[in-house]
């Protein structure tokens, strides 16, 4: 039910030896066609990993034959040698598939600032190419891209006419825009050109993955790719296809959220009554990044004053005396002041919803975040050691 669910795709996930724990660490996804149309979106961090720089150039051609992904090393901030390593990885895949490296996307995830051991990685690429399959290959690939993820993340949907969309993603920390800290490959056997895929992917990620903001930290490696094989022979309407891709991305967003490092609460911040969608997103992000509020939610304290404080740091249009705030359905703040008794708020469930009504218009947006826990601090205090 992962990237090999659509027709025309094979995948593999193998142990190359990049991870000290002996887990799978190299994945390969191959599009056998007949089409190789592709689109991608990437991190907006100005410090971008070598695989991102490489794959951005590949995507400009609108065609991708294969995606090779490794965990156990980000290949970021590694200079010219790191880019050469990315090129060599693409060349190894191309040689195995008897094709051009110019249609091979490369993705890496792991520790920043260290070169990948190519004497380990390249044999792993060959091993993955030898184990490509439609059967268990998709699940193995999803497992191989995990870093601190506790579970593999996959999604599947079927569209009208029988075409399919499958996906896999990784991400558990550094979750912030652009796109959360993720590697994500979405596949479909629908027959659509690269331009249509690009429009659908940007619309889908803009409303889902790009609004997951667990800790305000933006990765150097974020990559989301959409590949179309055309093997189903179905040409869906672009609106229908975009809606289905958005649904897949929303599914992955939820999975990333609930598996975020150390989190005990999954928080949805619904901003309504905004003058524009941009205002709603800006307010949602500000609230999501307020560490005092995140600590309060972890302690199951409905401290709505911290919500208002976060709203006030933005340039969004609003009147402070007209803001309303609800926490898990209880309107604890009305018209910028106290509302219903905060003792009515039940914050024991894992899912928490904070609704902010700016009373300034009709636009709305939702941003997702997590609480701030001692476990998160512990996990990230010794990540590289």
């Amino acid at each position: 039910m992962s990237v090999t669910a659509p027709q025309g795709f094979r995948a593999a996930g193998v142990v190359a030896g990049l991870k000290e724990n002996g887990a799978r660490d190299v994945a390969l996804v191959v599009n056998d066609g007949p089409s190789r149309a592709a689109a991608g979106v990437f991190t907006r961090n100005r410090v971008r990993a070598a695989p991102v720089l490489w794959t951005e150039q590949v995507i400009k051609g609108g065609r991708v034959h294969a995606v090779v992904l490794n965990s156990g090393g980000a290949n970021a901030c590694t200079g010219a040698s790191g880019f050469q390593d990315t090129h060599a990885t693409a060349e190894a895949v191309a040689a195995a598939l008897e094709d051009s490296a110019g249609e091979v996307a490369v993705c890496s995830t792991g520790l920043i600032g260290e070169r990948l051991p190519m004497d380990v990685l390249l044999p792993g690429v060959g091993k993955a190419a030898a184990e490509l399959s439609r059967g268990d290959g998709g699940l193995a690939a999803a497992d191989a891209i995990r870093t601190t993820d506790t579970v593999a993340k996959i999604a599947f949907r079927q569209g009208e006419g029988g075409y399919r969309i499958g996906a896999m993603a990784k991400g558990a920390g550094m979750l912030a825009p652009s796109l959360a800290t993720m590697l994500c490959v979405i596949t479909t056997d629908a027959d659509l050109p690269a331009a249509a895929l690009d429009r659908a992917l940007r619309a889908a990620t803009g409303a889902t993955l790009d609004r997951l903001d667990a800790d305000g930290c933006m990765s150097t490696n974020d990559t989301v790719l959409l590949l179309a094989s055309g093997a189903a022979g179905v040409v869906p309407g672009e609106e229908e296809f975009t809606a289905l891709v958005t649904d897949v991305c929303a599914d992955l967003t939820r999975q990333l959220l609930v598996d975020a490092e150390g989190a005990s609460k999954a928080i949805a911040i619904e901003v309504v009554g905004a003058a524009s969608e941009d205002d709603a997103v800006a307010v949602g992000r500000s609230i999501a990044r307020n560490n005092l509020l995140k600590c309060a939610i972890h302690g199951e304290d409905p401290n709505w004053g911290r919500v208002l404080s976060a709203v006030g740091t933005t340039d969004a249009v609003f009147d402070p005396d007209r803001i309303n705030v609800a926490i898990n359905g209880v309107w604890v703040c009305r018209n910028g002041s106290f509302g219903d008794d905060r003792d009515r708020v039940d914050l024991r469930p894992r899912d928490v919803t904070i609704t902010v009504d700016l009373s300034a218009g009709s636009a709305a947006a939702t941003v997702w975040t997590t609480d701030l826990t001692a476990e998160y601090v512990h996990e990230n205090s010794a990540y590289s050691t």
Side-chain angles (χ1 to χ4, degrees):
M1 304 302 287
S2 181
V3 289
T4 54
Q7 300 176 61
F9 290 94
R10 293 176 294 152
V14 301
V15 177
L18 297 171
K19 292 178 178 175
E20 293 182 359
N21 63 3
R24 293 186 179 102
D25 47 23
V26 172
L28 183 61
V29 179
V30 173
N31 180 358
D32 291 320
S35 173
R36 294 182 183 178
V41 290
F42 305 90
T43 181
R44 289 192 290 269
N45 197 321
R46 292 172 61 193
V47 178
R48 297 205 286 281
V52 171
L53 298 174
W54 171 271
T55 303
E56 283 178 322
Q57 294 303 311
V58 170
I59 286 295
K60 286 182 179 179
R63 288 169 55 89
V64 169
H65 185 187
V67 185
V68 58
L69 312 94
N70 76 270
S71 53
N75 194 9
C77 305
T78 48
S81 58
F83 191 83
Q84 292 168 3
D85 291 343
T86 295
H87 189 181
T89 304
E91 290 282 6
V93 173
L97 300 178
E98 299 182 349
D99 201 358
S100 166
E103 291 190 9
V104 177
V106 182
C107 302
S108 299
T109 183
L111 185 64
I112 294 171
E114 293 186 359
R115 285 189 68 182
L116 292 169
M118 299 303 288
D119 59 334
V120 174
L121 175 58
L122 295 183
V125 170
K127 184 178 179 181
E131 295 187 16
L132 287 166
S133 74
R134 277 205 71 197
D136 297 330
L139 292 176
D143 180 59
I145 62 176
R146 292 193 297 139
T147 49
T148 57
D149 306 64
T150 64
V151 294
K153 300 168 177 68
I154 61 174
F156 168 79
R157 297 292 187 276
Q158 184 160 313
E160 294 183 15
Y163 75 90
R164 297 176 175 183
I165 298 175
M168 67 178 188
K170 64 77 52 181
M174 280 185 87
L175 294 179
S178 163
L179 306 174
T181 296
M182 67 167 50
L183 302 182
C184 176
V185 178
I186 306 169
T187 60
T188 182
D189 50 17
D191 188 7
L192 289 168
L197 297 179
D198 182 74
R199 289 190 293 270
L201 185 62
R202 291 182 185 279
T205 57
T208 57
L209 296 169
D210 202 28
R211 294 182 184 176
L212 175 58
D213 199 332
D215 53 20
C217 299
M218 186 189 296
S219 171
T220 55
N221 290 61
D222 297 336
T223 301
V224 181
L225 301 175
L226 174 56
L227 317 180
S229 70
V234 178
V235 182
E238 193 167 326
E239 184 176 349
E240 175 208 330
F241 181 74
T242 299
L244 210 58
V245 174
T246 301
D247 196 29
V248 166
C249 289
D251 189 339
L252 294 175
T253 299
R254 172 68 183 178
Q255 294 181 54
L256 292 165
L257 176 65
V258 299
D259 194 36
E261 291 172 349
S264 67
K265 305 290 185 185
I267 307 169
I269 303 165
E270 301 174 339
V271 181
V272 300
S276 67
E277 186 174 355
D278 287 345
D279 274 7
V281 171
V283 168
R285 291 205 195 286
S286 181
I287 296 169
R289 295 178 178 183
N290 188 296
N291 283 338
L292 287 177
L293 175 64
K294 290 157 74 73
C295 289
I297 298 301
H298 176 61
E300 299 181 357
D301 173 14
N303 193 330
W304 57 267
R306 293 177 178 177
V307 177
L308 261 64
S309 178
V311 175
T313 66
T314 72
D315 294 327
V317 175
F318 66 88
D319 180 343
D321 293 329
R322 297 186 63 199
I323 300 177
N324 305 299
V325 176
I327 301 178
N328 278 357
V330 180
W331 290 95
V332 288
C333 169
R334 296 181 186 274
N335 296 319
S337 185
F338 49 81
D340 298 343
D341 188 347
R342 69 173 69 194
D343 290 341
R344 293 175 53 193
V345 179
D346 183 3
L347 286 175
R348 289 173 296 176
R350 177 164 190 168
D351 286 314
V352 175
T353 301
I354 298 173
T355 305
V356 178
D357 180 4
L358 296 178
S359 301
S362 59
T366 300
V367 174
W368 295 271
T369 190
T370 60
D371 56 342
L372 181 56
T373 67
E375 289 79 7
Y376 173 86
V377 175
H378 174 74
E379 185 159 345
N380 285 282
S381 65
Y383 179 75
S384 65
T385 56

